[in-house]
Every structure is written in C-alpha cells, then in structure tokens.
Amino acid sequence: HVQLVESGGGLVQPGGSLRLSCAASGYTYSSYCMGWFRQAPGKEREGVAAIDSSNGRTNYATSVKGRFTVSQENAGNTLYLQMNSLKPEDTGIYFCAVVRPRYCSEYLRSLQAPDFTDWGQGTQVTVS
C-alpha cells in the first residue's frame, strides 16, 4: 500500500520561496517516476514537475521552469520541490504522486498523470 505524505506548504509573499516535501513508503517498484501536481481553485489538476528515479531525469511545466526544482533523497523515499520566485498564480493545492514503471517515460514527457497513479493528500500553497 503506497503512502505519500506532503508537507511544507503555507502562505508566502510574491517573490518568496517554499520547499515542499513528500515522504513516500509502501511501494516496491524497482524503478519509477515521482512528481508534483497542483490544482488551483476552479481549475483542473496540472503536472508541475517530474523526476525519473532510475536516472534523475527531470521535466517541468513551462510556467515553473527556472523557478522550481524537483529532487529526491533517502533512496528515493523523500521527494522535494524547491519553489523560488513564487507568483500569485502558483497558488493551489500541491500533490505528490508516484507513477508506476510502465507509465514512467510517457509521464516524464507529458507531465500528465496516467492511470494507477498513487497520490498524497495535498498541501496548500498560497502566494499573496
């Protein structure tokens, strides 16, 4: 049973920084992708950043490229999202996700959540 627990959200002024963390457990995949999604009020959930655990390759949404950095530690059990130069449009609930190996390469390319993605409960980020 995959369990993902996000933390680190909060209220920050425009131009500020936040670091989100996601503690992951319960999966046995030998290789997988992890990533961050966000959902703003009244909008659909969108992919923000993804990382391939087997080789460290990353991909970012155009809107966050150059400002956000995704990384992993603890043998891939902890996922981070460093968010700098935050803007009001970055406001939303941020979700951590684990993507199963067979969907990894397509997810890394498109940032779209495939079937059977495992999700955390989300953490609120407000930029105001």
Side-chain angles (χ1 to χ4, degrees):
H1 174 66
V2 176
Q3 188 171 18
L4 303 169
V5 180
E6 302 96 334
S7 60
L11 173 64
V12 64
Q13 293 183 343
S17 297
L18 281 175
R19 190 192 197 200
L20 305 183
S21 299
C22 173
S25 62
Y27 52 87
T28 58
Y29 316 131
S30 58
S31 65
Y32 53 91
C33 284
M34 293 187 74
W36 292 94
F37 294 75
R38 69 186 179 190
Q39 187 166 20
K43 294 188 177 181
E44 293 188 355
R45 187 160 48 191
E46 63 172 347
V48 172
I51 185 166
D52 186 332
S53 67
S54 64
N55 55 29
R57 287 176 56 206
T58 58
N59 192 20
Y60 297 90
T62 302
S63 59
V64 307
K65 203 167 290 185
R67 300 187 297 120
F68 290 12
T69 303
V70 61
S71 60
Q72 285 181 302
E73 287 185 0
N74 299 328
N77 292 330
T78 306
L79 182 72
Y80 299 102
L81 185 68
Q82 178 66 44
M83 305 187 295
N84 298 328
S85 302
L86 283 161
K87 304 175 181 180
E89 52 263 44
D90 294 319
T91 294
I93 302 174
Y94 282 69
F95 299 89
C96 170
V98 174
V99 172
R100 302 186 183 190
R102 66 178 294 185
Y103 303 108
C104 191
S105 65
E106 176 58 22
Y107 164 59
L108 195 69
R109 183 193 69 79
S110 70
L111 295 179
Q112 294 185 7
D115 293 339
F116 307 110
T117 295
D118 293 297
W119 299 96
Q121 82 289 349
T123 185
Q124 177 71 45
V125 172
T126 303
V127 185
S128 178

